[in-house]
Each structure stands twice: as structure tokens, then as C-alpha cells.
Amino acid sequence: MAVCRSCGFVFNRLFDFSKLSYDESYDNTQSCSAHFNTYLDSLVAYLVEQKNVRNCTIVEVGCGKGIFLRKLVEYPGANNRGIGFDPSYVGLESEIDGRLVFHRKFYDGSSADLEADVVICRHVIEHVPEPLLLLRTVRAALEGSPNARVYFETPCVDWILQNKVVWDFFYEHCSLFTAYSLAVAFSESGFAVQDVHHVFDEQYLWLEARPGRAAIGNERVDNDGAVENTVRSSLAYGEQEEANRLKWLAYLSELKAEGALALWGAGAKGVTFANLVDPEATLIDCVVDLNPNKQSGFLPGTGHPVVSPLELLTRNVKNAVLMNPNYRQENLTLLEESGIAVKLVELAGV
């Protein structure tokens, strides 16, 4: 991982896209969580009610299983039409009387002839080794739509660095942004940036832009020492990473002495953390996940079994390490309602 001293962009300089496969078996669905689904609903309501995304043709770049785009099209009274692009999409190619259409492919130059009022791209740009190429492709597609609006969402690398969340550095995320570096990337690609702010309890960045050449026009994305802080945090993180890993390993060993130990979250965070601290699967008993498509499977690399929360009872799990603190209350409620006496622990501050 490298950091740009000019803008604070963090990237994997040895990234090899051929190591990845984004096909129909790729599953990054988060909507199995009621908490995350509520977050998606709030974003949709924000776009429709506050940004007046109504009677629009919406193109979503990297739509996944189409959940977010479908919500925008189905929103009562919005009368939107949606076109989604994603090679991992699974489902019907056309829905809602043709108002919702999906293409099982990457959004690229061949897609640029589609006119759009709104372009949305959530949690895609961090997977792209050449993000400016993606942004310029979107910009070229909007050449004849000067009033089109563009909305991007991506993880905030400053949040990762400040919270020392080592498990948020995983191979798929080769391009990580700060608010400033994201705004710079859009400005360099021919967009007028209107706003960049944090969402999802500071973990994500939400950017709003239009085609144009205006300067970055929001005090919240001015440099004002931000780049220096990111560089400083990056270098300190690199120096402390191994010491932190050993510290967490010692803490997990203490937890295991109380009984079986689990991780909560079998997505990229859980996979990364398990491979870092327990590659031989001798410390962690299992990994909990709400996604039924992941349950009864195994983590890649380590082979830890992925289980439902109810299986914690039969496995005699005493502690579960929460990979994302945003889901703490939801999971505590689930455990209490199910009568499962498992302690949820976090690594922040350890």
C-alpha cells in the first residue's frame, strides 16, 4: 500500500486485477442486516425527497444484485427508470414493466451511449486500479447531459487509519480515498464537485457532482492540512501494524481461555482478519454471518466454518469479535431475543 503525498490517495501499487473474479458467485450483499437495509432506505429517501431524483433515468455503475437501484425505481411516486451494470448480477434482466433493466457486464466505454439524468456508483471505485479511467468514462457518457447529477459512495481511508482497522485493508480494495483526494479525482476528471461528506457513522464518503470544470467548491473538502494528516497517519499505521496484530492476537488468546471464540462478519473484513491472526484456524472456532448464502460455507484461506447466530449455542461460543461496530446494537438485540449468552467484543482501544 502506498500513499500519495500530493493528495492523500492510498492505493495498492502492486495490484493485479487478474487475481480477482467478479462473477455470479461473488456475493457482497449487506441487506440481510436490518440496520444496513435501513441505511439504504435513508439514502434512497434522501435522493428522492431532498435531491428530487424523480422522473429520472438512473444508471447505476456496479449495481451488485440490484437492491439499491430497485429501491429507487420502486420508491412511491418517484417514477424513475433504472439501468444497472454489474457482471455479478443475478436475476431477471428486466423488471417492473421494463422500468428496471440490468446488464451483466462492467460499465465501460461501450456503455457511454446511454443517456442518464443520474449516475450512481456505490462501493465500486475502491475496486478499480485506475479510478480516473472510470470517472472519465462516466464523464464522457454525460457529455450531452450537462445537468446530470453524479453520486458516488466509497470507504473513507482516514477512518480506517485513525481507527487502526487493519481488516479494512483487503486485496479487492486497491484504491482508497480521503474526502480531499476523492474531490481532486473528480475535479481532474471534468466534474464540478458540489459536496463530499461522511455517512454511515463516518465510515463512508458520499460525493455529489455534476459535469463541469468548477473548482472544488466546498470548505469541507479543502486541503487545510488534510493531506499531511493522511500521510502522517499512513506512515504511523505502517510502523504499528505488526505490533497491533500481535497485541490483538494476545487479546484473542485471552478470550479463547473463557470458551469458544467467534468472529462476527464473514465478509471481506472477517476474511482478512481471520487470515491475519488465525491462518491455521486453531484460535477462532467459527465466523457468524446473517447472510444465509454464506452460512454452511467456509472462509477462503483459513477454512473457518461460517454459521448462523443460532449455532453459537451449540458451539458453546462465549465471545464474538465484532468486525464492524455499526452493527453492534442490531446484533445485541438479536442475541438477547434469541436467548444467546454471547459477549460481543471490539478491538478498538485494545
Side-chain angles (χ1 to χ4, degrees):
M1 303 298 290
V3 59
C4 174
R5 292 182 180 272
S6 297
C7 71
F9 176 56
V10 173
F11 59 100
N12 181 351
R13 61 190 178 88
L14 299 179
F15 182 75
D16 180 359
F17 195 84
S18 68
K19 294 181 181 294
L20 304 181
S21 178
Y22 293 113
D23 56 21
E24 293 181 4
S25 65
Y26 178 73
D27 185 1
N28 65 345
T29 303
Q30 295 173 275
S31 57
C32 297
S33 160
H35 176 75
F36 194 79
N37 203 46
T38 298
Y39 168 67
L40 292 183
D41 288 340
S42 71
L43 274 185
V44 170
Y46 167 76
L47 288 169
V48 176
E49 301 295 344
Q50 296 190 42
K51 294 299 178 177
N52 198 32
V53 177
R54 300 175 184 271
N55 305 305
C56 291
T57 296
I58 304 168
V59 169
E60 185 173 11
V61 179
C63 64
K65 309 306 180 194
I67 294 170
F68 189 75
L69 187 59
R70 188 176 290 106
K71 287 177 179 289
L72 278 169
V73 173
E74 291 180 336
Y75 194 91
N79 193 36
N80 290 317
R81 175 174 175 255
I83 306 171
F85 289 85
D86 202 302
S88 71
Y89 173 74
V90 177
L92 298 174
E93 294 183 0
S94 179
E95 300 180 30
I96 317 178
D97 298 325
R99 288 170 49 214
L100 185 58
V101 176
F102 295 102
H103 298 282
R104 293 187 180 89
K105 66 176 186 177
F106 289 108
Y107 181 89
D108 54 25
S110 66
S111 314
D113 58 345
L114 286 172
E115 293 187 5
D117 302 302
V118 172
V119 175
I120 292 176
C121 187
R122 299 180 53 256
H123 299 275
V124 173
I125 195 169
E126 64 269 23
H127 296 253
V128 178
E130 298 181 58
L132 292 185
L133 180 59
L134 169 64
L135 296 182
R136 287 166 181 164
T137 298
V138 174
R139 179 63 182 85
L142 298 177
E143 191 60 41
S145 305
N147 295 318
R149 292 168 287 170
V150 177
Y151 302 99
F152 268 60
E153 186 180 52
T154 189
C156 176
V157 73
D158 277 336
W159 183 89
I160 296 172
L161 293 168
Q162 291 164 9
N163 291 278
K164 299 180 176 62
V165 185
V166 63
W167 47 97
D168 255 357
F169 285 118
F170 41 85
Y171 201 79
E172 294 93 329
H173 284 188
C174 54
S175 298
L176 294 168
F177 294 86
T178 64
Y180 183 73
S181 63
L182 187 62
V184 168
F186 271 79
S187 183
E188 290 289 329
S189 302
F191 289 96
V193 177
Q194 298 178 306
D195 187 27
V196 183
H197 60 268
H198 289 84
V199 293
F200 201 54
D201 288 342
E202 306 294 310
Q203 290 189 22
Y204 301 157
L205 296 169
W206 179 264
L207 177 141
E208 303 180 359
R210 288 182 183 268
R213 288 289 181 181
I216 300 172
N218 186 321
E219 68 277 4
R220 283 175 287 185
V221 294
D222 286 344
N223 186 351
D224 193 25
V227 174
E228 292 81 358
N229 289 336
T230 300
V231 172
R232 191 181 306 113
S233 296
S234 297
L235 297 177
Y237 181 97
E239 293 172 357
Q240 300 164 3
E241 186 177 56
E242 179 60 14
N244 286 330
R245 189 186 73 85
L246 294 175
K247 182 169 57 175
W248 291 327
L249 191 58
Y251 178 60
L252 295 180
S253 297
E254 293 176 7
L255 292 177
K256 186 187 178 185
E258 300 175 9
L261 176 65
L263 296 184
W264 198 300
K269 291 178 174 65
V271 172
T272 300
F273 188 73
N275 276 275
L276 283 171
V277 302
D278 193 25
E280 302 300 325
T282 58
L283 181 62
I284 298 164
D285 178 78
C286 60
V287 183
V288 188
D289 203 278
L290 298 182
N291 187 342
N293 293 328
K294 293 185 178 182
Q295 294 165 8
S296 300
F298 301 88
L299 287 197
T302 65
H304 289 95
V306 181
V307 303
S308 73
L310 293 178
E311 289 185 61
L312 295 175
L313 283 171
T314 57
R315 302 184 78 96
N316 196 34
V317 170
K318 300 300 181 185
N319 293 285
V321 180
L322 190 59
M323 289 288 92
N324 191 328
N326 282 7
Y327 299 104
R328 182 175 183 81
Q329 189 54 54
E330 176 185 54
N331 295 336
L332 283 173
T333 300
L334 187 156
L335 291 171
E336 183 178 350
E337 292 177 348
S338 302
I340 302 173
V342 170
K343 182 182 178 182
L344 280 183
V345 297
E346 298 177 31
L347 295 176
V350 172

